[in-house]
Amino acid sequence: MDFYNLNRQLKNMEISIANYTTALPKALLSKAAKLAVRECDETEKGHFVAYVDEGEESYDVSLTLTPKGVVAAHTCDCKKGNSFCGHQAALLVQLAKGKQVKAVSKVKAKLNKAEALLETAGEVELKVWIRELLARNKDIELAFVHHFSAKQHEYTPEEAAQITRDAIKAVVKNKRTIEISELKRIVDLWTGIHAPIVQQYQAAAAEEAAFNNLHAVIKSCVEFNGKTNNTSTKIPKYIEGLLLQCTEYLNNLQDETAWTKGTGYFITRLKDDFGNVAMHYLAHLNSLFGISNPHRKAAIIERLIVHYSKNNPDRMYNGGAYTKMIFTIVQENGLFQQYQHVFKPIQFDNTYNLQLIKLLIEEGNFATAETFCTQQINSNFRDVYNIPYLELLKEIYTKQQKKGNLMKILSLLLPHTFDFSDFLYFSNTMPDGEEKKTWRTKILTKARNASSSNLKAVFFCFQLMEHENKFLKMIEYIDSYTPYTTVLHYFDKMAGADKAKLLMAIIQKSRSYYSSFSQDRKTEEACFPELLSVMIQCYTPDYLRAALLKQKQAAFFYSSGPFWEYMTKELLEENKS
């Protein structure tokens, strides 16, 4: 299932309780129907959390719905990242059907018994028991305090950060290595104590005080995640979930001045206290971008570009990720032409660099594309890494009709690419003489030496022999690395040069065990009937049988190739039967 495209679908259209049966793929709905949803709870108006069981695994899922039933935010701790997964779909289906989601029977019986005892417990006895419970469990004590006292409290950033740290200490004290189960308890505790701060932000997304409290919470979570000695994604996903709860409220600000202020807080904080990029805020702005109108999209991109231009990503440990996300946003929205001047290559990131340079060439910005290619070539320590940049320089100089520059690039490319058309272009520009002969011999020698590991080199040698009408020499080039499809392609011309020599070259062609490239075996074997057919027309079946029997006597000295085995089966074994 294409979860990437499904996530883009969520950004481009509304998924709701009313339209989920048509908006979500049938495969996703089919999967959702097989999952068990339990302990569903509406923790606040429109925000639902539940456990979704898939086999022996259980996942924490949350959905935030607008008053009209539209999915405003969604999280799941499975491995699907930001995508709308089957677990979230299962919860949405339950909510759409209005079902009471029940826990498994074992838990249900236990809860019913506890509820019955709670109804009969005396007030004094119950308070004593709760007091003892809180004294033994600091995390429960903290949750209790904030549940009964925090709802109307106006927080400061210092308080928001402190309660985040208090929750950590309540669970693990001062431990450096945190178990996954402890992380889950911390995140569960955070969910409750952070709820009032998130709600206050949702109610005043344009107010700096509300943002500062939210920022203090997220900053504390990020700092704690950096100190834990584990690779769990629970905390990053928790931060992502917090921000997802805020996206719709920020987008719903109708006053443009208020919206500009609200988004500006995140842009201002894109650079953290260590001079690096707060990728969680950049991802949040990207999510906001996905649901914004065209005017606001343009405003977000413009401010992101201004921020990016004022900073130096090369000096940030996550500057590469910063650059690529900005680049992707610009490219996907057709704005590369407008902002092409702000992007530079990332050292040793060939995928991004080549994409950037190709776009520059498409825009006709040959000078910048040439500079970037040259920079990457000069910084590489192995020639093989230069090949894609040399190919781009070849394209640039071809379009600019810079013959001299093109010749230099082809001389560097040919020993790697063995492109015969480039060879001919280069050869035709050289005057006849010893220098041209020496150069031709040098390239051919390199191709022959590379034939054991480079299929292009094999093809080059045969193309050159065909071009020079040296078909007798071509027969000598048939070895264990030569594809049978190549033999078939040039069969008639080689047979015209020396039929007997060609037959022995084919029969004695051994199996290649040590080639570092792999010719498609099915393609090879598919040509065997046709190759045998043209050989029968050239030699007659009896002549071939005699040659096979002679070769069979000497088989001890050869590692028989697959076509020899095919011929033996077709001509000798069939005749014997």
Side-chain angles (χ1 to χ4, degrees), residues 448 471-479 494 501 505:
R448 290 296 297 153
F471 298 107
L472 192 60
K473 190 69 174 177
M474 184 186 288
I475 296 173
E476 296 176 9
Y477 286 171
I478 297 176
D479 57 23
M494 289 188 290
K501 190 173 182 179

Side-chain angles (χ1 to χ4, degrees), residues 138-139 142-143 145-147 149-150 153 155-171 186 189-198 200 213 216-217 220-221 238:
K138 294 299 181 182
D139 53 336
L142 184 64
V145 169
H146 283 278
H147 179 79
S149 65
H153 181 69
Y155 288 89
T156 65
E158 292 74 19
E159 289 174 328
Q162 187 60 49
I163 63 170
T164 305
R165 293 190 292 266
D166 288 344
I168 300 167
K169 192 171 183 179
V171 176
I186 291 170
L189 189 53
W190 278 346
T191 301
I193 66 176
H194 289 157
I197 297 173
V198 173
Q200 288 174 11
N213 290 336
V217 165
S220 300
C221 294
Y238 175 73

Side-chain angles (χ1 to χ4, degrees), residues 77-91:
D77 61 357
C78 69
K79 297 180 180 180
K80 297 300 185 295
N82 294 334
S83 299
F84 197 86
C85 63
H87 312 114
Q88 295 162 348
L91 177 55

Side-chain angles (χ1 to χ4, degrees), residues 26 68 71 113 171 198 202 253 386 432 434 459 464 547:
K26 291 182 179 179
K68 294 183 179 180
V71 176
K113 185 176 180 180
V171 176
V198 173
Q202 291 171 338
L253 291 173
N386 294 336
D432 293 334
E434 287 302 316
F459 297 150
L464 180 58

